[in-house]
Each structure stands twice: as structure tokens, then as C-alpha cells.
């Protein structure tokens, strides 16, 4: 009884998910969550300029996690769009494009905020925002300037590495999409081959059925001939005189063929 109850509950949940009205409610819920998450991330990015050190690093890690959640919600949003009523599909498609554009802007602004914060902290560590002390010699000033330049160069290199990583991810995604496209083409070719084989099998079955019908007709005809011969023989055996009067001339003995050689 417990198993039956569980199966009934599962079936009810399945019917609920297949209901277009429920799918609309689900995608509307995702839309609201995406909007709230966008505002939260935007507020967090704007607050990075007021943080430094450990607090800033923790806030960046938190924002990265929220960006990951934002990406997951967009993926779920796209999947649920397939089941919404046709009349509402265009509206939700526009909202999906808007969420994608918002994500791109958030990602770019977050990366820019990270780079700006790194530069500010770098200059702060090396005295870039302080006035030079009077006792520093020209050589010390030159060395400190060179150190700041080296740190700026490292920061620029890290930014370039991030750009290269993004390019590599984009290239890998393109390759993956190309592979999936080739797989889809191959599957389509196989489906066409299967369809061709099915049509050929249908033609063979039709030909076989026609041949079977012809063979049945021949068998029935032969059966009737044999029945007729047996009827004549039986009639001759039962009523020889009547057979002669009817013109049924059945020989009593089988005469072997004459050999003229």
C-alpha cells in the first residue's frame, strides 16, 4: 500500500510538471529570482570599491558564487522555455535575452572591479598614493618607481591571462559545439538510412504477400483438379455403367508408353 501511495504521488507530481500553467509559474519564479540576483550582484560590485584586504577577497569569492548561481538559473530558464505555451514563448524569449545581456555586463563589471582593486592595493603597498619622504635619494625614488612598474606589469599580465583563458574557453566551446553538430548530422544520416531500409522492407513484404497470394491461387486450382480426378475415379469405381454413359472414360490399367527405339 505504501508503494502504491508513492507511485500515485510521483504520477501526480509528473502531471503537475507537465501542466503548461505550472510551467509558466516555474519560469516566472526563475525570472523573479534572476532579477533579484542581478540586483544583489550589482550592489556587491558597487561596494567593492569601499573594501580592501580580506574583506574584499571574501566579497569577491561570494560574488563569484552568486554569478555561478546566476548562470545555473539562466540554464534552467532556457530549459523551461521549451514547455511554456506557444502564445507566451516570445515574451519569455525576450526576457531570457535580457538576462543573458545582464549577465555579460555583470561579468565584465566584476572583472573590471577586480582589476581596479588590484591596482589600488598595489599602489597602496608601494606608496604610490603617498608623498615621497624628504630623506629618499633619487636612486631610491627610481627603484621604487621601477618596483611599482613591475607590479603594474604583473597585474596587466594577470589580466591578459584571464583574457587568454576566456579565449580558450570560447574556443573549446566552439569545438564542442562543432562536434555536437557533426554528431547530430551523423544521427540524421543514420535516421535517413533506417527510414530507407524500412521503406525497402515494406516493398519486399508487399512483393512477398503478392507472391503468397499467387501461390495460394495455384494451390487451390491444383487442389480442385485433384478433387475432380478423385471424384471421377470414385464415380467410375462405384458406378461403371453410369460413368460410361456420362463419357467418363477412365482406363482400368495403366499402359506403359511405347518405346519406338
Amino acid at each position: 500500500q505504501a508503494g502504491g501511495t508513492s507511485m500515485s504521488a510521483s504520477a501526480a507530481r509528473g502531471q503537475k510538471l507537465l501542466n503548461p500553467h505550472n510551467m509558466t509559474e516555474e519560469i516566472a519564479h526563475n525570472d523573479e529570482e534572476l532579477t533579484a540576483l542581478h540586483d544583489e550582484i550589482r550592489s556587491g560590485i558597487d561596494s567593492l570599491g569601499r573594501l580592501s584586504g580580506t574583506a574584499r577577497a571574501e566579497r569577491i569569492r561570494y560574488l563569484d558564487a552568486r554569478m555561478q548561481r546566476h548562470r545555473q538559473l539562466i540554464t534552467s530558464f532556457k530549459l523551461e522555455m521549451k514547455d511554456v505555451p506557444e502564445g507566451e514563448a516570445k515574451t519569455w524569449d525576450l526576457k531570457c535575452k535580457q538576462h543573458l545581456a545582464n549577465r555579460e555586463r555583470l561579468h565584465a563589471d566584476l572583472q573590471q572591479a577586480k582589476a581596479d582593486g588590484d591596482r589600488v592595493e598595489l599602489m597602496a603597498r608601494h606608496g604610490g598614493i603617498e608623498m615621497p619622504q624628504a630623506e629618499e635619494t633619487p636612486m631610491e625614488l627610481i627603484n621604487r618607481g621601477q618596483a611599482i612598474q613591475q607590479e603594474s606589469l604583473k597585474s596587466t599580465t594577470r589580466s591578459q591571462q584571464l583574457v587568454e583563458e576566456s579565449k580558450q574557453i570560447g574556443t573549446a566551446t566552439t569545438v564542442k559545439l562543432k562536434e555536437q553538430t557533426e554528431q547530430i548530422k551523423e544521427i540524421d544520416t543514420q535516421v535517413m538510412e533506417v527510414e530507407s531500409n524500412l521503406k525497402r522492407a515494406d516493398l519486399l513484404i508487399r512483393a512477398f504477400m503478392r507472391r503468397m497470394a499467387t501461390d495460394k491461387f495455384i494451390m487451390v486450382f491444383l487442389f480442385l483438379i485433384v478433387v475432380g480426378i478423385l471424384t471421377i475415379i470414385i464415380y467410375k469405381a462405384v458406378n461403371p455403367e453410369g460413368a460410361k454413359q456420362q463419357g467418363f472414360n477412365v482406363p482400368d490399367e495403366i499402359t506403359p508408353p511405347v518405346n519406338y527405339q
Side-chain angles (χ1 to χ4, degrees):
Q1 183 178 1
T5 303
S6 177
M7 292 178 63
S8 300
S10 299
R13 287 194 298 271
Q15 293 178 355
K16 183 178 179 181
L17 289 175
L18 292 175
N19 190 334
H21 178 69
N22 292 330
M23 295 307 302
T24 303
E25 291 181 353
E26 288 290 333
I27 198 170
H29 176 73
N30 277 357
D31 178 56
E32 293 177 0
E33 188 173 352
L34 279 168
T35 302
L37 189 57
H38 170 269
D39 295 339
E40 178 187 351
I41 296 173
R42 171 57 61 191
S43 177
I45 293 174
D46 294 339
S47 67
L48 282 178
R50 299 188 295 271
L51 302 176
S52 61
T54 304
R56 181 173 176 274
E58 291 178 353
R59 179 61 60 85
I60 289 175
R61 284 195 295 270
Y62 175 76
L63 291 175
D64 287 336
R66 301 306 286 166
M67 287 291 293
Q68 180 70 13
R69 173 60 180 166
H70 195 278
R71 185 183 67 82
Q72 293 173 353
L73 284 174
I74 290 179
T75 302
S76 177
F77 193 97
K78 291 179 179 179
L79 292 175
E80 291 170 358
M81 279 180 57
K82 299 178 180 179
D83 298 321
V84 299
E86 185 176 356
E88 302 178 7
K90 185 175 181 181
T91 300
W92 292 117
D93 183 62
L94 292 175
K95 286 183 175 293
C96 182
K97 291 179 180 179
Q98 181 180 358
H99 288 310
L100 287 171
N102 289 339
R103 172 176 169 73
E104 293 297 327
R105 285 193 293 269
L106 288 175
H107 178 73
D109 292 345
L110 180 58
Q111 296 302 320
Q112 183 64 39
K114 289 179 181 179
D116 293 342
D118 290 341
R119 284 194 295 270
V120 170
E121 290 187 356
L122 177 64
M123 294 180 66
R125 284 198 304 268
H126 293 277
I129 58 175
E130 297 178 357
M131 294 298 293
Q133 298 180 1
E135 62 271 14
E136 286 183 327
T137 63
M139 183 59 66
E140 289 175 345
L141 291 174
I142 292 173
N143 291 336
R144 189 172 67 171
Q146 290 177 346
I148 294 174
Q149 289 178 351
Q150 290 296 327
E151 290 295 333
S152 299
L153 181 60
K154 290 179 181 179
S155 178
T156 303
T157 302
R158 286 195 296 270
S159 300
Q160 290 177 345
Q161 290 176 350
L162 289 174
V163 173
E164 291 298 326
E165 289 176 0
S166 300
K167 289 182 179 180
Q168 292 175 1
I169 293 173
T171 302
T173 303
T174 303
V175 172
K176 190 66 176 178
L177 289 174
K178 186 176 180 180
E179 292 177 355
Q180 292 177 352
T181 302
E182 294 297 330
Q183 291 176 357
I184 292 173
K185 290 182 179 178
E186 184 177 354
I187 292 172
D188 184 62
T189 302
Q190 293 176 356
V191 170
M192 292 179 65
E193 291 179 356
V194 171
E195 184 178 359
S196 177
N197 291 335
L198 289 174
K199 290 181 179 179
R200 183 178 179 185
D202 183 64
L203 292 175
L204 292 174
I205 290 173
R206 291 176 182 271
F208 179 74
M209 293 299 294
R210 287 195 297 268
R211 184 173 178 181
M212 287 289 292
T214 304
D215 292 344
K216 287 181 179 180
F217 177 77
I218 294 172
M219 292 296 292
V220 170
F221 185 71
L222 291 176
F223 176 74
L224 293 175
I225 293 175
V226 172
V227 170
I229 294 172
L230 290 175
T231 302
I232 294 173
I233 293 173
I234 294 171
Y235 183 68
K236 172 68 176 176
V238 174
N239 189 4
E241 296 299 330
K244 287 182 179 180
Q245 292 176 2
Q246 294 292 332
F248 297 147
N249 236 349
V250 181
D252 296 329
E253 295 181 357
I254 298 176
T255 304
V258 179
N259 189 355
Y260 293 101
Q261 294 182 355

